[in-house]
Amino acid sequence: MNTAPDDSVFHLDTAHDASGDAHIRITGDLDWDSADDLSEAARTLLRADPAPRRLHLDCARLTLCDSLGLASLLMVHRACAEAGVSLHLDNRPALLRRLLDLTGTAFLFDDATGAELPDTSGEAAAPPPPPPPPRA
């Protein structure tokens, strides 16, 4: 009997750790059917007493992120900013890095030093786009 988790089925695992951080592990497609689930899970963790110091979204098992998935990530970002909680997108797969780069939203999910969090997907990151030409 195969008991390996099925990455094609959307699932969220939430937890708090001893350091006061909250974690959400995302498995499957973050899309029309699941975006609200992520937003609600994040709001629930942010309402905890005491509130977490950091919220980590582990994206290692994310298999798809569409426009509503991105909207959910942006709502989580806004909720964290309003709560004074640092948001981290951990283990970003290539599909998520591309989406964030194409939409110009990657900078919102960089850590406090402005550097992207470590990539553990095993794929080389695409080089950043060139800067726009200077205005005349």
Side-chain angles (χ1 to χ4, degrees):
M1 181 169 161
N2 183 1
T3 60
D6 183 358
D7 285 352
S8 67
V9 176
F10 180 79
H11 183 74
L12 298 174
D13 291 307
T14 61
H16 286 91
D17 66 25
S19 70
D21 290 356
H23 300 265
I24 300 175
R25 183 177 9 161
I26 306 167
T27 300
D29 295 351
L30 185 56
D31 59 11
W32 171 266
D33 293 325
S34 59
D36 287 341
D37 294 339
L38 174 61
S39 299
E40 183 56 35
R43 282 192 296 270
T44 298
L45 290 172
L46 293 172
R47 286 191 297 257
D49 186 21
R53 296 179 314 135
R54 289 178 290 270
L55 175 60
H56 293 269
L57 302 183
D58 183 349
C59 301
R61 298 176 73 192
L62 182 69
T63 54
L64 177 132
C65 185
D66 70 4
S67 60
L68 283 173
L70 176 60
S72 179
L73 291 173
L74 294 171
M75 285 188 276
V76 171
H77 176 270
R78 178 179 293 169
C80 284
E82 289 171 356
V85 174
S86 175
L87 175 64
H88 301 271
L89 290 185
D90 300 334
N91 304 312
R92 301 175 195 184
L95 66 98
L96 182 57
R97 288 193 317 270
R98 277 193 300 275
L99 177 64
L100 296 175
D101 288 342
L102 286 170
T103 58
T105 57
F107 75 96
L108 294 172
F109 302 101
D110 291 344
D111 71 5
T113 65
E116 182 174 332
L117 296 171
D119 172 27
T120 60
S121 70
E123 294 184 30
R135 292 187 171 191

